[in-house]
Amino acid sequence: MKSLTVMISITSFFKDITTYKDLGKEIFYPVQYGCKHCGYLGRLHRHGFYSRNVLTQYTSFRVFILRIKCPSCHKTYSILPSFLIPYHTVIKEKPMDKYIRHVDKLRFIPCREELDHIFLYRTIRSVKNDATLSIDNNLFEVPLKYVGERIHVRYDPTAMEKAYIFSEEGQILDTIYPVQKIDNTKVRREQNIKGIDFSPFSTH
């Protein structure tokens, strides 16, 4: 199933918010063409409504917002009338205004790989004497140099085919992989057991 990403398209087809509210779902919406995401040029399909709070200087009420959908890539758009300005009730301002005020404090990520690593789950694990560690009941092989240490590990819980060892400073050190149980049974391991001495006892 393809994921839906809601984006906003502000359209100036009504200037009276009271009329817009009173008409509700019966309001006439202009037909929308073209998808900005995939480049589809045809008509976008209506895809239901959702309600949102509207705040004015004197009162507040709820209005219906139309959602439309691209039949090609399945991305959806919310059609907001131009008199509605997106406003975040937690930060008490428009998100764009907050972004502009703090743009000088933003740290841009130099590459896609580093961005992916930032959103990984993080944990600290102890490496066992057999050079393995466990993450969510999955056993991973670890380089021998980490045996006995507690290390910083990052992983994607939806893709457990690998995980990453990071330094405390956030630098990636090694990539680790799950133990292959079948292959592991074929590995010859040295046994630290002394053989039994069957030679005759010496007599004096």
Side-chain angles (χ1 to χ4, degrees):
M1 179 178 178
K2 297 184 179 179
S3 60
L4 299 179
T5 301
V6 178
M7 293 174 282
I8 296 175
S9 176
I10 298 179
T11 305
S12 55
F13 58 93
F14 254 94
K15 296 182 179 180
D16 182 0
I17 190 171
T18 303
T19 304
Y20 181 90
K21 176 180 71 70
D22 292 341
L23 287 175
K25 295 181 181 180
E26 302 302 321
I27 194 171
F28 170 77
Y29 291 88
V31 176
Q32 302 291 318
Y33 292 91
C35 177
K36 298 178 181 178
H37 181 262
C38 70
Y40 172 75
L41 299 178
R43 179 175 178 173
L44 303 181
H45 298 173
R46 292 168 69 102
H47 192 59
F49 292 85
Y50 64 92
S51 61
R52 281 293 181 266
N53 289 321
V54 174
L55 304 178
T56 68
Q57 184 177 358
Y58 305 105
T59 187
S60 65
F61 46 85
R62 294 185 73 81
V63 297
F64 288 107
I65 305 298
L66 174 67
R67 183 184 285 120
I68 56 177
K69 180 179 180 180
C70 172
S72 176
C73 69
H74 305 286
K75 297 296 181 182
T76 61
Y77 297 82
S78 297
I79 304 300
L80 293 185
S82 57
F83 53 74
L84 290 181
I85 302 174
Y87 182 85
H88 201 291
T89 55
V90 175
I91 62 177
K92 305 301 181 184
E93 63 179 321
K94 292 183 289 183
M96 181 57 70
D97 290 344
K98 186 175 180 65
Y99 171 82
I100 293 174
R101 286 197 300 108
H102 297 284
V103 68
D104 59 318
K105 299 179 181 179
L106 297 179
R107 183 177 71 88
F108 293 94
I109 307 302
C111 63
R112 172 64 183 271
E113 184 180 21
E114 183 176 343
L115 182 63
D116 291 340
H117 290 162
I118 289 176
F119 290 99
L120 294 174
Y121 279 42
R122 305 183 185 196
T123 186
I124 297 177
R125 286 289 185 269
S126 296
V127 181
K128 302 175 184 178
N129 290 334
D130 61 353
T132 63
L133 57 80
S134 179
I135 305 174
D136 292 348
N137 296 321
N138 294 283
L139 200 62
F140 285 79
E141 292 185 296
V142 181
L144 290 172
K145 61 184 177 181
Y146 297 110
V147 168
E149 295 186 10
R150 287 176 59 81
I151 59 176
H152 295 263
V153 181
R154 300 186 192 182
Y155 65 99
D156 180 352
T158 65
M160 297 296 287
E161 64 271 10
K162 61 182 175 180
Y164 307 92
I165 300 175
F166 276 77
S167 67
E168 293 184 4
E169 294 75 26
Q171 300 296 319
I172 187 170
L173 302 176
D174 285 288
T175 302
I176 57 177
Y177 302 91
V179 172
Q180 301 297 323
K181 295 182 179 180
I182 296 178
D183 295 340
N184 199 41
T185 60
K186 299 178 182 179
V187 176
R188 181 180 178 85
R189 301 185 184 277
E190 297 294 334
Q191 298 293 329
N192 189 24
I193 301 176
K194 293 184 178 180
I196 301 176
D197 185 3
F198 291 100
S199 60
F201 292 99
S202 59
T203 57
H204 296 282

